[in-house]
Amino acid sequence: MQRRDGLKLLAATALCAPAVTRAAHAADRFATYRGTTIVVNWPAHPHYDAAIPFVVEFTKQTGIKVEIDKMQYMRMHDKQLLEMSKPQSDYDLITILGMWKTEYVKKDLLAPLGPMMKNADLADPDYDLADVVPAYLNNIGAVGGPKGYLAGPGAELYALPFGTETSVLAYRADILDSLGLQPPATYDELLAMLDPIHDKAKIGAVTSRGQSGHQATHAFLLHLNPLGGQFFDENWNVEFNGPAGVKAVETLKRFVETGPAGIPSYGFGEMENAFLLGQSALYLDTIAVFGGVKNPAKSKVDGKVRYALHPKGARYSAESGGFGIAIPKRSANQEAAFLFMQWITSKSLDVAIAKAGGVAMRNSTLDDAGVLAMYPEYKLLKQQLVYTDADWRPMIPEFGEIDEQVLGLRVSEALIGSKTPKQALDESATAVAAIMKRGGYLKT
Amino acid sequence: MARVGAFKSMVNRSAPYMLAGPAVLVIGFGCLYPTLLALRLGMEQWSLGTPWSSATYVGLSAFGLALTDPVVLHSFGVTLAFAAVVVGCEMLLGTALALLLEQPMRGMAVFRTIFIAPMMVAPIVVGMMWRYLFDTQYGFANYLIGLVGIGPQTWLGDPVLAFAAIVLSDVWQWTPFVLIMVLAGLQNIDQSALEAARIDGATPLQAILRVKLPMLASVLVVTALMRLIDAFRVLEVIYALTFGGPGNATEVLPVLIYKTAFVSQKLGTASAISVLLLLVVSALSVAALAISNPMRDGRR
């Protein structure tokens, strides 16, 4: 264990004192499962890295052992499907991206959380579900409802947010100041400052994801919604290849031209690293960067970064979603997994993990004086959450194929110049329409 | 007596089948069963995580679709180009190194061990290692070209450079295989032929081109075919290095099969493409056996 991990553990122990007290009251809740080992599938991600030291504390308090299977997050889906398809799942708790939830539920692979939350033997009376930021709960946990993937009549909760994301703009105040530039409030202002930053400051302007597949789709959708576009209309007809979509791809192409070298090969890690290593002046992506900037092992830009709202295009908007944790239906340890899930997403742990460099997902944490003292940027997050749109991507079961093999491929081709933005989007639209017909969404 | 003789004759005739039978059954089951299962799966549309009873029978349509789908055809083209380039480079380099390392020199055993080390590294590790080496921000490749005044390149974000990257990683790992095969072949060359060439006044280059390489011909052809078969099946390195990108510039057939099965959840289509790939690889294997079948000499 490194010194840093040791310090995190000490902090975890101190911060968990209230939870210790509550744990004493809830001894019966955990007693049945003492000695049980649960297997948890977690991603290599800053939030989860920040949470790992607290897992030891959970075992100390409850006697439930936690074995973590950590992997690159885009590779979790295949592994999870294989594990959850077995008569008995080897995983007791999995980390999901919001876009996987409907597929898993359609295949009857996840346990609904409602019954466990209502079970007095398991439920923590202090657990405040209403405190969780609704956009996160809606985006990551809800399945059903009128659209099938958001809250509403008929929706059920299948996952709890953990490692949430909202897009914000991070910028190097020192560089913008030296060029006499103000942080961009709109996409027009943002696009206008790309060349001056690139040419005069001799640094990449905006870092961005761009790797073929999911990362390219994510980058595209990050801009589609603020620029006034949407993926489908109300009747599931493709809309993303309209003028807003073309502008979104053109914006990405400008980022490639003026940004740090290598954007077409960047996943989230490379994209964030470019900013943290001082190779770009602007970062427009998830709030995971809050902790990254302050992490001396990763960042060369601590003290030079300020934050602003995701710039306005045709409207203010920001992505909201990220990761959540869910329980496989065929897990033999569902109850123990639920106890862990409930504990790690409780109010006190949300504060503790946020202080350790993770991200907050509860309103109470966003108002916590201790968290705000360490991360004043959470004030901005609260403002940004007003503008988030939970429906910025259609999380239907077919989205995985659209994301990785259709849109992600074509947008990537546009970024490397083998297709024009319009051509890439029109080809994608045709392929997506075929998928939607196959899925029964479109009749003709 | 006649009956006993007939019985003995029958036992003698059937002995080879009885001895080889169990092994043939085990190998047949081990090889044929998964192949037949893949064929069967190719006729169904089934998504992982759902009960098999939910699979829909689609007959041979997935095979027809795989043969005409532009995505599959593109991927086949990438696979062919990849296989041709890597096998060509590996054969040239491996043979040249073998000819060099064949000479008796002090410490040659150490050199040979070092040269074959890459082959022992797990392919997924090779992929990760080269991903870091080709990283635009802090990769060693950009550092090296920077020494000669060339600016940083987007190795894995440019279609041509990404293709070069997957070729380089494969050549790095599998040239040692060619080296070992050719070295073994060189050690079996009849020294009297080389001696005769020297007496006839052949230069070292002439001895290589006119004596050694012709005598190595069957080893070289079989080695090339074995590498070709492997090149058609390469997955792990490209999975870790580019995952088929940028766009689909490095999407070889095994990567496409993986994505079709696990991303698009079309296991039937993925199986159909796998069967087509199997046919190509089988044809290459038959060619390899036709050129140098170890059983052939025994039959003569």
XYZ file of all heavy atoms in Angstrom, chain A residues 74-75 77-78 81-82 85 103 106-109 211-212 260-267 269-271 273-274 277 279 330 400-401 404-405 408-410 412-413 416 418 438, chain B residues 47-51 71 74 131 135-138 152-159 239 241-249 251 255-256 258-266:
655
model
N -14.696 0.089 -20.842
C -15.406 -0.317 -22.045
C -15.325 -1.833 -22.292
O -15.934 -2.339 -23.213
C -14.866 0.446 -23.261
C -15.367 1.879 -23.347
S -17.165 2.069 -23.149
C -17.803 1.234 -24.604
N -14.536 -2.518 -21.474
C -14.441 -3.971 -21.628
C -15.325 -4.703 -20.608
O -15.390 -5.922 -20.583
C -12.984 -4.439 -21.481
C -12.027 -3.757 -22.427
C -12.258 -4.150 -23.881
N -11.577 -3.240 -24.788
C -12.187 -2.296 -25.506
N -13.497 -2.147 -25.448
N -11.506 -1.501 -26.304
N -18.601 -4.580 -20.250
C -19.885 -5.033 -20.774
C -19.826 -6.492 -21.222
O -20.688 -7.297 -20.852
C -20.283 -4.110 -21.929
C -21.568 -4.472 -22.589
N -21.618 -5.146 -23.789
C -22.853 -4.295 -22.213
C -22.884 -5.345 -24.121
N -23.651 -4.834 -23.188
N -18.787 -6.846 -22.006
C -18.678 -8.217 -22.516
C -18.539 -9.202 -21.358
O -19.187 -10.243 -21.319
C -17.440 -8.380 -23.419
C -17.283 -7.233 -24.390
O -18.288 -6.535 -24.611
O -16.174 -7.046 -24.906
N -21.787 -9.596 -19.366
C -22.786 -10.416 -20.056
C -22.471 -11.901 -19.899
O -23.363 -12.713 -19.625
C -22.811 -10.067 -21.541
C -23.824 -9.020 -21.978
C -23.718 -8.785 -23.466
C -25.248 -9.428 -21.636
N -21.184 -12.232 -20.061
C -20.784 -13.635 -19.932
C -21.042 -14.143 -18.511
O -21.588 -15.221 -18.315
C -19.298 -13.796 -20.280
C -18.951 -13.710 -21.768
C -17.445 -13.625 -21.962
C -19.495 -14.913 -22.521
N -24.794 -14.365 -17.594
C -25.564 -15.362 -18.345
C -25.487 -16.744 -17.712
O -26.256 -17.631 -18.062
C -25.019 -15.460 -19.776
O -25.094 -14.220 -20.392
N -30.674 -2.859 -21.856
C -30.328 -4.158 -22.443
C -30.323 -5.232 -21.347
O -30.894 -6.310 -21.518
C -28.946 -4.071 -23.098
C -28.523 -5.384 -23.745
C -27.020 -5.502 -23.939
O -26.336 -4.474 -23.991
O -26.545 -6.652 -24.017
N -33.882 -5.878 -20.151
C -34.646 -6.612 -21.173
C -34.274 -8.096 -21.147
O -35.117 -8.960 -21.372
C -34.338 -6.013 -22.552
C -35.192 -6.563 -23.674
C -34.797 -5.954 -24.999
C -35.554 -6.621 -26.144
N -35.047 -6.155 -27.449
N -32.996 -8.368 -20.861
C -32.533 -9.763 -20.808
C -32.736 -10.385 -19.423
O -32.275 -11.497 -19.172
C -31.056 -9.831 -21.205
C -30.834 -9.509 -22.673
C -29.371 -9.512 -23.033
C -29.205 -9.283 -24.526
N -27.786 -9.117 -24.907
N -33.378 -9.631 -18.545
C -33.702 -10.128 -17.198
C -32.433 -10.491 -16.413
O -32.383 -11.495 -15.718
C -34.623 -11.353 -17.310
C -35.374 -11.602 -16.007
O -35.545 -10.635 -15.241
O -35.767 -12.752 -15.754
N -31.419 -9.646 -16.508
C -30.141 -9.935 -15.850
C -29.934 -9.130 -14.564
O -29.008 -9.411 -13.819
C -28.978 -9.656 -16.821
C -28.966 -10.504 -18.104
C -27.865 -10.039 -19.055
C -28.773 -11.986 -17.775
N -11.556 8.504 -30.173
C -11.260 7.119 -30.567
C -12.481 6.478 -31.228
O -13.606 6.705 -30.785
C -10.887 6.342 -29.305
C -10.266 5.003 -29.539
C -9.955 4.334 -28.208
O -10.823 4.189 -27.352
N -8.708 3.963 -28.011
N -12.227 5.690 -32.247
C -13.304 5.014 -32.968
C -14.185 4.215 -32.004
O -13.686 3.527 -31.129
C -12.680 4.071 -34.006
O -13.682 3.435 -34.742
N -4.644 19.180 -28.948
C -3.413 18.409 -28.755
C -3.347 17.279 -29.791
O -4.391 16.760 -30.208
C -3.559 17.849 -27.333
C -5.018 17.883 -27.047
C -5.587 19.032 -27.822
N -2.151 16.912 -30.194
C -2.005 15.876 -31.224
C -2.583 14.551 -30.727
O -2.375 14.180 -29.583
C -0.531 15.702 -31.563
N -3.344 13.899 -31.602
C -3.775 12.543 -31.277
C -5.230 12.381 -30.910
O -5.630 11.276 -30.525
N -6.039 13.435 -31.014
C -7.445 13.326 -30.579
C -8.175 12.132 -31.214
O -8.910 11.436 -30.513
C -8.201 14.661 -30.809
C -7.756 15.672 -29.756
C -9.710 14.465 -30.771
C -8.379 17.051 -29.877
N -7.969 11.828 -32.506
C -8.711 10.686 -33.065
C -8.391 9.348 -32.400
O -9.076 8.360 -32.647
C -8.280 10.678 -34.546
C -7.904 12.089 -34.830
C -7.251 12.583 -33.567
N -7.355 9.314 -31.569
C -7.070 8.055 -30.857
C -7.356 8.172 -29.359
O -7.098 7.249 -28.601
C -5.606 7.654 -31.059
O -4.748 8.599 -30.451
N -7.916 9.295 -28.931
C -8.110 9.511 -27.496
C -9.383 8.840 -26.966
O -10.474 9.072 -27.454
C -8.270 11.006 -27.196
C -7.003 11.821 -27.166
C -5.780 11.292 -27.545
C -7.041 13.155 -26.763
C -4.631 12.068 -27.523
C -5.900 13.939 -26.746
C -4.700 13.396 -27.126
O -3.576 14.157 -27.117
N -9.220 8.050 -25.917
C -10.350 7.654 -25.096
C -10.445 8.671 -23.970
O -9.760 9.702 -23.986
N -9.275 8.552 -20.892
C -8.012 8.704 -20.159
C -7.032 9.612 -20.889
O -6.471 10.538 -20.309
N -6.835 9.362 -22.178
C -5.893 10.166 -22.964
C -6.379 11.611 -23.055
O -5.588 12.549 -22.997
C -5.728 9.592 -24.375
C -5.025 8.238 -24.442
C -5.984 7.074 -24.373
O -7.167 7.290 -24.010
O -5.550 5.929 -24.647
N -7.695 11.763 -23.238
C -8.281 13.093 -23.345
C -8.037 13.896 -22.060
O -7.580 15.042 -22.097
C -9.791 12.932 -23.617
C -10.602 14.185 -23.782
S -11.176 14.928 -22.245
C -12.059 13.611 -21.451
N -5.786 13.225 -19.710
C -4.344 13.393 -19.493
C -3.784 14.577 -20.256
O -2.902 15.281 -19.772
C -3.585 12.125 -19.931
C -3.590 11.089 -18.831
O -3.831 11.414 -17.673
N -3.350 9.844 -19.190
N -4.273 14.778 -21.491
C -3.759 15.884 -22.306
C -3.964 17.204 -21.564
O -3.092 18.084 -21.584
C -4.459 15.913 -23.661
N -1.756 17.211 -18.238
C -0.320 17.349 -18.496
C 0.028 18.671 -19.155
O 1.169 18.902 -19.566
C 0.174 16.180 -19.372
C 0.081 14.793 -18.734
C 0.467 13.713 -19.727
C 0.958 14.707 -17.493
N -1.226 19.985 -22.025
C -1.134 20.005 -23.486
C -2.352 20.619 -24.156
O -2.419 20.690 -25.380
C -0.905 18.579 -24.000
C 0.446 18.043 -23.581
C 0.623 16.577 -23.892
O -0.292 15.914 -24.347
N 1.807 16.069 -23.614
N -28.854 -13.118 -11.000
C -28.431 -14.485 -10.674
C -27.284 -14.522 -9.663
O -26.593 -15.515 -9.541
C -28.020 -15.212 -11.951
C -29.209 -15.406 -12.881
C -28.817 -16.022 -14.198
N -29.868 -15.795 -15.184
C -29.725 -15.957 -16.481
N -28.562 -16.348 -16.966
N -30.712 -15.717 -17.307
N -26.128 0.118 -27.768
C -24.751 -0.391 -27.774
C -24.222 -0.563 -29.192
O -23.110 -0.157 -29.514
N -25.038 -1.160 -30.049
C -24.622 -1.385 -31.439
C -24.490 -0.051 -32.181
O -23.526 0.170 -32.914
C -25.652 -2.282 -32.142
C -25.268 -2.596 -33.574
C -26.286 -3.480 -34.290
O -27.313 -3.829 -33.682
O -26.035 -3.810 -35.471
N -21.252 1.884 -30.803
C -19.907 1.364 -31.083
C -19.686 1.105 -32.560
O -18.638 1.435 -33.096
C -19.719 0.065 -30.285
C -18.325 -0.485 -30.266
C -17.418 0.145 -29.220
O -17.829 0.270 -28.055
O -16.299 0.509 -29.587
N -20.678 0.512 -33.226
C -20.418 0.020 -34.580
C -21.029 0.865 -35.687
O -20.745 0.632 -36.854
C -20.906 -1.416 -34.704
C -19.940 -2.368 -34.013
C -19.951 -3.739 -34.638
O -20.803 -4.535 -34.306
N -19.023 -4.020 -35.520
N -20.169 5.608 -33.863
C -18.792 5.751 -33.403
C -17.778 5.528 -34.506
O -16.730 6.161 -34.551
N -18.130 4.633 -35.412
C -17.243 4.317 -36.545
C -17.253 5.462 -37.560
O -16.198 5.947 -37.998
C -17.755 3.028 -37.193
C -16.846 2.319 -38.144
C -15.655 1.747 -37.404
C -17.606 1.186 -38.825
N -18.462 5.935 -37.891
C -18.587 6.964 -38.941
C -18.058 8.318 -38.462
O -17.406 9.039 -39.216
C -20.043 7.102 -39.393
C -20.742 5.849 -39.897
C -20.070 5.237 -41.094
N -20.771 4.196 -41.811
C -21.486 3.173 -41.370
N -21.732 3.016 -40.101
N -21.992 2.282 -42.182
N -15.758 8.777 -36.303
C -14.305 8.620 -36.318
C -13.770 8.826 -37.734
O -12.733 9.476 -37.941
C -13.927 7.232 -35.794
O -12.587 6.942 -36.051
N -14.480 8.276 -38.716
C -14.047 8.443 -40.114
C -14.098 9.912 -40.530
O -13.251 10.382 -41.289
C -14.915 7.586 -41.037
C -14.595 6.098 -40.918
C -15.504 5.213 -41.751
O -16.691 5.562 -41.930
O -15.041 4.163 -42.199
N -11.013 11.706 -39.078
C -9.734 11.479 -39.752
C -9.797 11.889 -41.216
O -8.833 11.720 -41.956
C -9.268 10.003 -39.628
C -10.311 9.050 -40.212
C -8.951 9.653 -38.200
C -9.880 7.589 -40.231
N -11.751 10.794 -43.731
C -12.121 9.885 -44.819
C -13.575 10.054 -45.245
O -13.969 9.531 -46.277
C -11.818 8.425 -44.492
O -11.949 8.141 -43.156
N -35.449 -3.142 -37.266
C -35.226 -4.493 -36.748
C -35.721 -4.616 -35.307
O -36.262 -5.635 -34.896
C -33.730 -4.805 -36.823
C -33.392 -6.269 -36.749
C -31.902 -6.486 -36.884
N -31.185 -6.020 -35.717
C -29.981 -5.442 -35.727
N -29.371 -5.243 -36.861
N -29.403 -5.045 -34.613
N -28.828 -13.555 -29.036
C -28.106 -12.524 -28.301
C -27.620 -13.088 -26.969
O -28.383 -13.758 -26.264
C -29.053 -11.343 -28.066
O -28.389 -10.323 -27.395
N -26.381 -12.805 -26.639
C -25.792 -13.294 -25.389
C -26.593 -12.783 -24.188
O -26.995 -11.618 -24.160
C -24.346 -12.801 -25.291
C -23.425 -13.557 -24.359
C -23.258 -14.988 -24.826
C -22.069 -12.873 -24.294
N -26.809 -13.657 -23.233
C -27.547 -13.236 -22.039
C -29.015 -13.596 -22.115
O -29.754 -13.418 -21.155
N -29.451 -14.095 -23.285
C -30.855 -14.507 -23.411
C -30.892 -16.031 -23.516
O -29.907 -16.645 -23.923
C -31.507 -13.896 -24.680
O -30.739 -14.309 -25.815
C -31.547 -12.388 -24.615
N -32.024 -16.661 -23.157
C -32.084 -18.121 -23.269
C -31.989 -18.573 -24.727
O -32.431 -17.847 -25.626
C -33.451 -18.462 -22.662
C -34.203 -17.190 -22.574
C -33.239 -16.064 -22.617
N -18.980 -4.027 -44.943
C -18.146 -3.957 -43.726
C -17.253 -5.202 -43.640
O -16.053 -5.112 -43.355
C -19.036 -3.838 -42.460
C -18.193 -3.897 -41.200
C -19.849 -2.550 -42.514
N -14.651 -5.056 -46.454
C -13.569 -4.114 -46.091
C -12.621 -4.784 -45.100
O -11.391 -4.708 -45.235
C -14.164 -2.841 -45.488
C -13.149 -1.964 -44.813
N -12.395 -1.040 -45.500
C -12.726 -1.911 -43.528
C -11.557 -0.457 -44.670
N -11.742 -0.950 -43.461
N 0.907 0.179 -27.394
C -0.014 1.316 -27.271
C 0.695 2.467 -26.548
O 0.554 3.625 -26.912
C -1.269 0.888 -26.506
C -2.319 1.982 -26.466
C -3.675 1.497 -25.976
N -4.572 2.645 -25.835
C -5.223 3.201 -26.841
N -5.124 2.700 -28.042
N -5.994 4.251 -26.656
N 1.996 6.141 -28.048
C 1.171 7.217 -27.489
C 1.669 8.573 -28.015
O 2.870 8.837 -28.037
C 1.257 7.196 -25.961
C 0.250 8.135 -25.340
O 0.546 9.349 -25.244
O -0.827 7.663 -24.968
N 0.721 9.393 -28.419
C 1.096 10.687 -29.012
C 1.738 11.607 -27.989
O 2.651 12.370 -28.310
C -0.161 11.376 -29.588
O -0.859 10.435 -30.386
C 0.208 12.584 -30.431
N 1.247 11.517 -26.735
C 1.718 12.479 -25.734
C 3.076 12.112 -25.143
O 3.937 12.966 -24.989
C 0.698 12.589 -24.602
C -0.641 13.151 -25.053
C -1.747 12.831 -24.059
O -1.508 12.499 -22.915
N -2.980 12.928 -24.507
N 3.240 10.851 -24.778
C 4.486 10.490 -24.108
C 5.098 9.199 -24.643
O 5.859 8.526 -23.948
C 4.287 10.384 -22.584
C 3.032 9.660 -22.169
C 2.992 8.275 -22.113
C 1.872 10.364 -21.850
C 1.846 7.609 -21.754
C 0.706 9.699 -21.494
C 0.698 8.320 -21.436
O -0.447 7.661 -21.087
N 5.744 15.328 -33.471
C 4.958 14.193 -32.967
C 3.887 13.744 -33.958
O 3.239 14.579 -34.588
C 4.325 14.739 -31.681
C 4.441 16.220 -31.768
C 5.605 16.532 -32.643
N 3.753 12.451 -34.094
C 2.766 11.885 -35.010
C 1.622 11.257 -34.223
O 1.826 10.727 -33.136
C 3.417 10.802 -35.879
C 4.548 11.299 -36.762
C 4.090 12.294 -37.802
O 3.127 12.037 -38.530
N 4.739 13.445 -37.875
N 0.446 11.304 -34.815
C -0.720 10.671 -34.194
C -0.766 9.228 -34.660
O -1.552 8.850 -35.510
C -2.001 11.411 -34.613
O -1.778 12.794 -34.463
C -3.191 11.007 -33.775
N 0.104 8.409 -34.108
C 0.278 7.048 -34.602
C -1.035 6.268 -34.663
O -1.312 5.613 -35.658
C 1.264 6.286 -33.701
C 2.659 6.791 -33.829
C 3.289 7.689 -33.026
C 3.609 6.454 -34.852
N 4.565 7.938 -33.469
C 4.787 7.176 -34.588
C 3.573 5.598 -35.958
C 5.914 7.084 -35.391
C 4.696 5.493 -36.748
C 5.856 6.231 -36.471
N -1.800 6.318 -33.598
C -2.993 5.470 -33.542
C -4.254 6.225 -33.974
O -5.357 5.691 -33.899
C -3.165 4.891 -32.135
C -1.950 4.122 -31.614
C -2.180 3.616 -30.199
C -1.592 2.967 -32.544
N -4.081 7.475 -34.419
C -5.231 8.267 -34.848
C -5.202 8.554 -36.333
O -6.044 9.287 -36.845
N -4.247 7.994 -37.030
C -4.141 8.188 -38.472
C -4.234 6.810 -39.136
O -3.557 5.874 -38.705
C -2.775 8.835 -38.788
C -2.554 8.993 -40.273
O -2.067 8.028 -40.917
O -2.884 10.058 -40.799
N -5.080 6.672 -40.165
C -5.310 5.330 -40.738
C -4.020 4.640 -41.196
O -3.826 3.452 -40.925
C -6.227 5.609 -41.932
C -6.829 6.937 -41.676
C -5.885 7.716 -40.821
N -6.711 -5.670 -30.670
C -7.751 -5.358 -29.674
C -7.212 -4.310 -28.696
O -7.857 -3.318 -28.400
C -8.117 -6.648 -28.935
C -9.114 -6.506 -27.803
C -10.455 -6.795 -27.990
C -8.704 -6.107 -26.523
C -11.365 -6.699 -26.949
C -9.613 -6.003 -25.487
C -10.928 -6.302 -25.700
O -11.826 -6.194 -24.660
N -4.357 -2.506 -29.057
C -3.636 -1.391 -29.673
C -4.573 -0.367 -30.316
O -4.470 0.832 -30.060
C -2.659 -1.964 -30.705
C -1.554 -1.075 -31.232
C -0.744 -0.483 -30.098
C -0.629 -1.885 -32.140
N -5.487 -0.810 -31.148
C -6.348 0.151 -31.874
C -7.831 -0.189 -31.781
O -8.658 0.647 -32.103
C -5.984 0.166 -33.372
O -6.256 -1.133 -33.915
C -4.529 0.527 -33.600
N -8.157 -1.407 -31.403
C -9.535 -1.919 -31.403
C -10.192 -1.680 -32.776
O -11.376 -1.390 -32.879
C -10.347 -1.296 -30.279
C -11.551 -2.130 -29.880
C -11.429 -3.478 -29.622
C -12.816 -1.564 -29.764
C -12.520 -4.256 -29.268
C -13.929 -2.323 -29.405
C -13.777 -3.678 -29.156
N -9.384 -1.744 -33.818
C -9.921 -1.636 -35.180
C -9.892 -0.226 -35.749
O -10.134 -0.020 -36.928
N -9.611 0.771 -34.920
C -9.660 2.168 -35.366
C -8.335 2.645 -35.915
O -7.373 1.877 -35.968
N -8.241 3.907 -36.325
C -9.334 4.887 -36.373
C -10.317 4.555 -37.494
O -9.903 3.954 -38.485
C -8.600 6.200 -36.682
C -7.376 5.781 -37.416
C -6.976 4.471 -36.848
N -11.568 4.955 -37.321
C -12.604 4.474 -38.236
C -12.586 2.956 -38.156
O -12.637 2.385 -37.068
N -12.461 2.311 -39.316
C -12.259 0.853 -39.292
C -10.986 0.495 -40.060
O -10.901 -0.550 -40.694
C -13.486 0.103 -39.825
C -13.893 0.594 -41.195
O -13.270 1.497 -41.759
N -14.947 0.015 -41.745
N -9.990 1.398 -39.967
C -8.755 1.243 -40.742
C -7.969 -0.008 -40.368
O -7.259 -0.551 -41.201
C -7.879 2.479 -40.560
N -9.462 -2.733 -38.765
C -10.445 -3.717 -38.306
C -10.277 -5.030 -39.080
O -10.944 -5.269 -40.089
C -11.862 -3.165 -38.466
C -12.897 -3.949 -37.684
C -14.241 -3.253 -37.714
O -14.942 -3.362 -38.740
O -14.584 -2.588 -36.741
N -11.229 -8.986 -35.215
C -11.747 -7.855 -34.434
C -13.208 -7.608 -34.808
O -14.058 -7.369 -33.939
C -10.896 -6.584 -34.663
C -11.515 -5.377 -33.975
C -9.469 -6.798 -34.150
N -13.511 -7.692 -36.094
C -14.896 -7.505 -36.538
C -15.793 -8.592 -35.945
O -16.913 -8.309 -35.490
C -14.970 -7.542 -38.076
C -16.382 -7.430 -38.651
C -16.954 -6.028 -38.438
C -16.406 -7.773 -40.134
N -15.317 -10.206 -33.169
C -15.468 -9.891 -31.737
C -16.539 -8.809 -31.535
O -17.440 -8.947 -30.706
C -14.124 -9.432 -31.162
C -14.201 -9.131 -29.692
C -13.970 -10.130 -28.748
C -14.545 -7.866 -29.230
C -14.071 -9.871 -27.400
C -14.646 -7.595 -27.881
C -14.408 -8.598 -26.980
O -14.522 -8.333 -25.636
N -16.428 -7.730 -32.328
C -17.388 -6.623 -32.163
C -18.804 -7.061 -32.521
O -19.765 -6.681 -31.861
C -16.978 -5.445 -33.053
C -15.763 -4.680 -32.569
C -15.506 -3.510 -33.508
C -14.341 -2.658 -33.062
N -14.080 -1.565 -34.005
N -18.917 -7.848 -33.595
C -20.247 -8.298 -34.018
C -20.875 -9.170 -32.929
O -22.065 -9.057 -32.644
C -20.141 -9.096 -35.339
O -19.433 -8.296 -36.286
C -21.507 -9.417 -35.908
N -20.054 -10.013 -32.297
C -20.587 -10.921 -31.277
C -20.891 -10.191 -29.975
O -21.974 -10.331 -29.417
C -19.592 -12.056 -31.020
N -19.934 -9.397 -29.503
C -20.068 -8.874 -28.138
C -20.562 -7.434 -28.049
O -21.029 -7.015 -27.014
C -18.735 -9.025 -27.397
C -18.367 -10.454 -27.167
C -17.386 -11.064 -27.919
C -19.032 -11.207 -26.226
C -17.065 -12.401 -27.730
C -18.724 -12.538 -26.019
C -17.736 -13.140 -26.777
N -20.400 -6.669 -29.124
C -20.905 -5.292 -29.092
C -22.290 -5.248 -29.721
O -23.252 -4.795 -29.118
C -19.937 -4.319 -29.817
C -20.519 -2.917 -29.822
C -18.571 -4.337 -29.153
N -22.387 -5.767 -30.958
C -23.695 -5.741 -31.628
C -24.604 -6.855 -31.139
O -25.789 -6.865 -31.453
C -23.514 -5.892 -33.131
O -22.818 -4.799 -33.644
N -24.026 -7.814 -30.408
C -24.817 -8.920 -29.855
C -25.430 -9.786 -30.946
O -26.486 -10.382 -30.753
C -25.942 -8.359 -28.969
C -25.447 -7.590 -27.776
C -24.950 -8.517 -26.691
O -25.671 -9.384 -26.241
N -23.714 -8.351 -26.307
N -24.779 -9.841 -32.126
C -25.293 -10.694 -33.199
C -24.382 -11.919 -33.284
O -23.475 -11.977 -34.124
C -25.337 -9.909 -34.507
C -26.364 -8.781 -34.473
C -26.602 -8.163 -35.816
C -25.534 -7.188 -36.194
N -25.846 -6.328 -37.327
